[in-house]
Amino acid sequence: MFLHQRFTSSSSSLPASHRQDQDGHLIREKGLKQKRNGPKIVHIILLVGVAIIGSYYLSHSSGGSSSRQQQPSIRQTKAIQKKPSIRQTKAIQNGLETSKWETFGGRQLKQYFGCEELFETPRPTISRRNWIYFRDLYNEYAARERSLPNNEDTTHKVNDDSVSFPVEGAVTADKGRGLIASRDIKRGELIFTGTNNTIVFDTGHSWRKFLWYLYHAPDTPDLYPEGFACDIRSWSWIQAVPNEEGLKIVVDIDESSLLNQPSEDEEANIQCGKLDDEDSICEFDYYARVDIEKGD
């Protein structure tokens, strides 16, 4: 199976242009640029709800201004009319006041959504129809955000490219949910790259709003235990994006999100950045470090 490590930032390794507040938010100071890191070693294996983004989140003023009190989308409105959600009517959930959701940091979102309890049970693989549904939800959300005047909490796709990857989702008895090779892969072959499913959030609040949008979306086409907001939260990572200033929150809404770090006794079989090239920049391109057989 495939294992990886995205960008695991720590406070000691953050550039001078970024600092944290007491809640673990990443605060970006304007006018300073982040140097891009060199190649990162990654593996292709499974994901069992590991929160790669950790406790570091880009922060954008979230004082709860009225301009952020958005009306539900058509999709959400229909769902509410059919069956009001208990979650949407609770004043307090998991010890947190629902009315203050715009101020929630990453740890508070995890608490409010009940992610820790959700991940205590094995997560299922995601059907193709559900992936499409989740991407449709993002497109709806992004369109709504673009329609808002003077909206600074922007989000966009890395590019408009549609690329098929040589992997497929799988669930194994010993590893749980993850990825396997759908065909033989040669050493040095490109496995993943940024696509129209790679989403960039320019502020912490744009990411927070998308998670909130997902959390209150109607049921998926195929049976899938609620919790995609928790999945997106745990799959998200922070990195510099080419030709953009500062650090961004990034997530893939496709099978490549089922990557995870290797255990201590496992070797990496993919890496970010080209092999045997010390000057290669680790951005969105992941290459096979060894030959990988179909089914591995």
Side-chain angles (χ1 to χ4, degrees), residues 11-265:
S11 58
S12 61
S13 63
L14 292 174
S17 58
H18 300 79
R19 60 186 176 84
Q20 296 175 351
D21 66 13
Q22 61 184 359
D23 193 37
H25 294 271
L26 239 169
I27 302 175
R28 176 158 54 101
E29 298 175 2
K30 295 182 179 179
L32 297 176
K33 292 186 177 180
Q34 155 75 4
K35 294 182 179 179
R36 295 192 181 94
N37 297 324
K40 301 284 185 182
I41 299 300
V42 292
H43 301 256
I44 314 177
I45 278 191
L46 46 105
L47 175 68
V48 192
V50 176
I52 294 170
I53 195 171
S55 60
Y56 306 110
Y57 300 89
L58 291 174
S59 180
H60 186 78
S61 62
S62 55
S65 65
S66 59
S67 62
R68 285 180 178 159
Q69 298 294 337
Q70 308 303 334
Q71 295 298 316
S73 68
I74 295 175
R75 186 191 297 269
Q76 289 174 310
T77 302
K78 289 181 179 178
I80 295 171
Q81 290 172 346
K82 290 179 180 178
K83 185 179 180 181
S85 170
I86 296 176
R87 295 176 304 190
Q88 292 169 307
T89 57
K90 281 186 177 180
I92 296 179
Q93 176 161 303
N94 294 329
L96 296 171
E97 294 182 43
T98 300
S99 62
K100 296 182 178 180
W101 73 269
E102 291 183 339
T103 67
F104 290 173
R107 291 188 295 271
Q108 290 170 309
L109 288 171
K110 179 181 179 181
Q111 177 182 336
Y112 187 90
F113 295 158
C115 298
E116 191 168 334
E117 289 134 5
L118 183 73
F119 290 147
E120 286 179 355
T121 56
R123 300 294 287 151
T125 190
I126 300 174
S127 71
R128 182 175 179 275
R129 289 207 308 166
N130 282 352
W131 278 122
I132 293 173
Y133 173 72
F134 295 138
R135 291 192 285 267
D136 285 346
L137 285 177
Y138 171 77
N139 290 332
E140 279 186 3
Y141 166 78
R144 185 191 72 175
E145 293 299 297
R146 286 193 298 269
S147 69
L148 301 177
N150 305 317
N151 182 21
E152 296 181 356
D153 300 312
T154 52
T155 178
H156 62 278
K157 300 176 181 180
V158 165
N159 55 50
D160 294 324
D161 298 338
S162 179
V163 181
S164 296
F165 301 134
V167 300
E168 59 187 34
V171 176
T172 64
D174 59 334
K175 295 292 188 179
R177 183 167 64 177
L179 291 175
I180 59 174
S182 58
R183 60 170 174 78
D184 291 344
I185 300 172
K186 295 294 184 181
R187 181 182 184 276
E189 184 176 343
L190 178 67
I191 299 177
F192 297 111
T193 189
T195 72
N196 58 354
N197 297 330
T198 304
I199 310 303
V200 177
F201 297 94
D202 296 311
T203 69
H205 194 54
S206 64
W207 177 77
R208 180 191 293 116
K209 287 196 291 185
F210 180 55
L211 292 183
W212 197 258
Y213 191 82
L214 288 177
Y215 186 70
H216 295 97
D219 291 337
T220 53
D222 297 329
L223 181 63
Y224 185 77
E226 62 175 304
F228 193 64
C230 290
D231 287 335
I232 287 292
R233 180 197 171 278
S234 68
W235 293 339
S236 300
W237 72 95
I238 292 175
Q239 75 166 77
V241 174
N243 304 315
E244 296 188 27
E245 185 176 303
L247 295 178
K248 311 289 177 146
I249 297 178
V250 183
V251 69
D252 289 313
I253 308 183
D254 58 30
E255 290 84 354
S256 63
S257 279
L258 300 180
L259 296 172
N260 193 23
Q261 301 181 68
S263 58
E264 294 181 359
D265 60 344

Side-chain angles (χ1 to χ4, degrees), residues 40-44 185-189 191 267-273 275 286-292:
K40 301 284 185 182
I41 299 300
V42 292
H43 301 256
I44 314 177
I185 300 172
K186 295 294 184 181
R187 181 182 184 276
E189 184 176 343
I191 299 177
E267 294 291 332
N269 53 11
I270 70 170
Q271 76 172 41
C272 186
L275 277 61
Y286 291 77
Y287 297 84
R289 300 184 69 231
V290 296
D291 290 343
I292 302 172

